[in-house]
Amino acid sequence: MTSFGSHPDRTGRDMFAEAGLAALEDAGVPAADVDELFYGNFVGTLSEGQGHQGPLMAEALGTTAPSRRIESACASSGVAVRDAVRAIRSGEADVVVAGGMERMTNMGTAGATKGLAGAADDLYEVRSGVTFPGAYALMARAYFDEYGGSHEDLAHIAVKNHDNALVNDHAHLQQEITVEEALGAPEIASPFTLYDSCPISDGASALVLTSPEYADEHDLEANVAITGAGHGGDTMALHDRQSLSKTPATRDAAEEAYDDAGVDPSDIAIAEVHDCFTIAEVLALEALGLYSHGEAIGAARRGETRRDGELPVNLSGGLKAKGHPVGATGAAQVAAIATLLDGTHPRADAVDDDATVGVAQNAGGTVASATVHVLEVME
Amino acid sequence: MTDVTNGEYDAFLDALAEGEGYYLVCENDHGLLPPRRACPHCGDRDLTERDLPASGEIVTHTTVFVPTPQFEDDAPYVTAVVDFDGVRLTGVVRGIDQADVEIGDRVTATVESNETTDEQTIVFRPAE
Ligand SMILES: [Zn+2]
């Protein structure tokens, strides 16, 4: 991973090179062994005027292996990881790089807001005034109406995730905040203030995934494996859904991933979830089956999802504080769970010694796309 | 600039502006907005047109303070999702004080100009 943050003057190809080359070195895999690149990116054609980014990013890693750019809005690299897992399992690839990159701050706030709105239905939502924060605000208010909860409950999520990021030097925001500050921050889309929202970030992430056979043959130190993968879908526009306070794409992805790995929600010790806005963490925890509907809203306030709680969520700082370079986010979440489980993440001390299962959930748009990956410590 | 339209979306807005709003419905009563050739919920392709009810109920809303460039001069404004008994529409709420907009408010749908770009926009106003 690169550091996530404001890097308006860094090219996408350089950021992805930094993340990808470090991942290859860390894995002990030469670029020549990479069979394929699965690369996630959302607004590269707008922010850098650059299409066909797959080969460009493969080159940056020192290879001309086949590649593709995967665009699923904020779930772009979650989908890249998902497809990379499938390529290995099919037997067609032994070594793949899966990751993503986003360069956004060079577009300015207005440009980035417009770019992000592209994850919603342009005709029936964006032209009706929906912004990306606005869409999640619509879901938050529908959730409050159905289950109760308040903006203060959401503020506790922001405070928790900011606190988790304090030791993460790759995080965009390393700044302690209070519930009062979160509630009093400038409004962006009611009920949200600035601190309900993730920042606009630049950055890149990359994972090297190999078949078990390749890892054995080459004596790789692979302590953690992706044992379950799932991918779910839903309608683009919120108004076409039966419920505005549930995210069935995540539920479907989770069921698939849990089945695949042979685990239950009760086995999960840590989670990285897609908290682009505070309410999204609530929706994700419920769709992942870690809480029943209406219960996750108070989880951070009650302390359960804080790092000393029974189910630490977003120990990396989440999108909220780690940052959200859109196309890089999904793979970065998987990297966070992997390093938390094998003890190399700066917040690994918050993970119980006997913890063996973690989950990463990545969402695109208002969760019209979702991926879930289960990671387990290998015996 | 040529007068390129967005096909059935523009036709839908024109009808809504004339007070002749409509929607599509599949054999399982899933309400949909044009253009649709298949229902995303059940796959049915036998879609028929129905009149949009005269008024609907706000099911959720937000006041947007940080807009996209196309709503720069409109902000702050209220966007809402409104249930028209079978189909839902998203639009901008006008004619109600922003602080007073509530879930359950009854509104009618029409089409008005966006203040920033003059573009045709789905607008909800309080029902009589
Ligand atoms: Zn249907």
Side-chain angles (χ1 to χ4, degrees), chain A residues 8-378:
Chain A
D9 301 321
R10 290 192 62 182
T11 58
R13 65 189 80 181
D14 180 56
M15 287 191 281
F16 191 72
E18 183 192 336
L21 292 173
L24 286 167
E25 199 171 301
D26 188 42
V29 171
D33 281 6
V34 174
D35 294 317
E36 294 189 58
L37 168 64
F38 293 80
Y39 165 80
N41 174 263
F42 179 33
V43 293
T45 49
L46 299 173
S47 70
E48 295 197 295
Q50 181 68 63
H52 206 183
Q53 292 194 12
L56 189 67
M57 298 305 167
E59 275 178 57
L61 304 185
T63 173
T64 51
S67 60
R68 78 280 289 139
R69 167 185 169 214
I70 294 171
E71 191 276 291
S72 290
C74 320
S76 295
S77 62
V79 175
V81 174
R82 193 315 187 236
D83 286 352
V85 168
R86 281 212 279 221
I88 290 174
R89 286 184 175 173
S90 75
E92 293 196 9
D94 276 316
V95 179
V96 301
V97 174
M101 184 284 297
E102 211 70 59
R103 183 182 181 191
M104 300 193 74
T105 62
N106 65 330
M107 302 166 81
T109 302
T113 304
K114 182 175 192 283
L116 287 168
D121 182 337
D122 174 57
L123 295 180
Y124 281 107
E125 294 190 306
V126 180
R127 288 168 194 243
S128 292
V130 173
T131 60
F132 199 41
Y136 274 90
L138 291 169
M139 296 167 91
R141 193 161 262 136
Y143 184 99
F144 292 166
D145 185 55
E146 189 164 349
Y147 299 113
S150 67
H151 187 213
E152 193 172 334
D153 290 323
L154 297 179
H156 281 276
I157 296 170
V159 169
K160 166 181 75 71
N161 292 349
H162 271 261
D163 193 55
N164 284 342
L166 290 175
V167 298
N168 183 352
D169 291 335
H170 281 100
H172 189 163
L173 304 173
Q174 283 186 292
Q175 168 204 359
E176 204 169 348
I177 62 165
T178 64
V179 169
E180 293 68 34
E181 281 167 348
L183 293 175
E187 291 183 285
I188 53 168
S190 67
F192 294 159
T193 63
L194 189 60
Y195 287 148
D196 287 287
S197 172
C198 63
I200 292 165
S201 313
D202 306 307
S205 63
L207 305 165
V208 177
L209 304 177
T210 76
S211 62
E213 295 74 25
Y214 181 95
D216 282 348
E217 272 169 38
H218 294 80
D219 262 339
L220 301 186
E221 255 188 75
N223 307 325
V224 178
I226 297 175
T227 56
H231 187 181
D234 203 351
T235 61
M236 273 284 277
L238 283 176
H239 54 235
D240 283 325
R241 300 191 192 157
Q242 287 185 331
S243 169
L244 296 173
S245 53
K246 293 189 183 75
T247 49
T250 295
R251 180 201 61 208
D252 293 349
E255 282 174 5
E256 188 182 0
Y258 297 163
D259 259 11
D260 191 16
V263 301
D264 282 321
S266 62
D267 298 323
I268 292 165
I270 51 168
E272 288 285 314
V273 304
H274 195 94
D275 60 327
C276 49
F277 300 95
T278 46
I279 189 70
E281 178 165 314
V282 177
L283 301 173
L285 291 175
E286 294 179 2
L288 286 167
L290 297 169
Y291 279 88
S292 28
H293 292 292
E295 293 299 319
I297 182 77
R301 180 172 44 74
R302 295 189 298 266
E304 296 152 11
T305 51
R306 290 185 214 155
R307 64 173 179 276
D308 55 357
E310 53 213 72
L311 177 71
V313 173
N314 284 329
L315 283 169
S316 69
L319 284 60
K320 178 70 200 75
K322 178 171 82 272
H324 183 29
V326 174
T329 286
Q333 293 174 310
V334 173
I337 292 290
T339 51
L340 283 162
L341 285 177
D342 83 358
T344 54
H345 191 280
R347 277 291 181 218
D349 56 357
V351 183
D352 288 342
D353 290 340
D354 58 352
T356 57
V357 184
V359 67
Q361 177 260 357
N362 186 205
T366 48
V367 205
S369 296
T371 61
V372 171
H373 289 95
V374 174
L375 280 78
E376 292 184 71
V377 176
M378 293 292 95

Side-chain angles (χ1 to χ4, degrees), chain A residues 109-111 113-114 117 122-131 133-135 137-142 145 187-192 235 238-244, chain B residues 6 8-9 12 30-36 40-41 59-71 77 79-81 88-92 103 119-122:
Chain A
T109 302
T113 304
K114 182 175 192 283
D122 174 57
L123 295 180
Y124 281 107
E125 294 190 306
V126 180
R127 288 168 194 243
S128 292
V130 173
T131 60
L138 291 169
M139 296 167 91
R141 193 161 262 136
D145 185 55
E187 291 183 285
I188 53 168
S190 67
F192 294 159
T235 61
L238 283 176
H239 54 235
D240 283 325
R241 300 191 192 157
Q242 287 185 331
S243 169
L244 296 173
Chain B
N6 277 301
E8 291 87 344
Y9 169 75
F12 171 79
H30 297 128
L32 306 164
L33 299 169
R36 291 278 191 187
H41 304 290
V59 294
T60 188
H61 60 92
T62 178
T63 305
V64 176
F65 296 89
V66 181
T68 57
Q70 75 209 77
F71 279 90
Y77 59 87
T79 285
V81 177
R88 287 174 169 186
L89 263 179
T90 303
V92 174
I103 291 174
E119 229 172 309
Q120 294 294 88
T121 304
I122 295 172

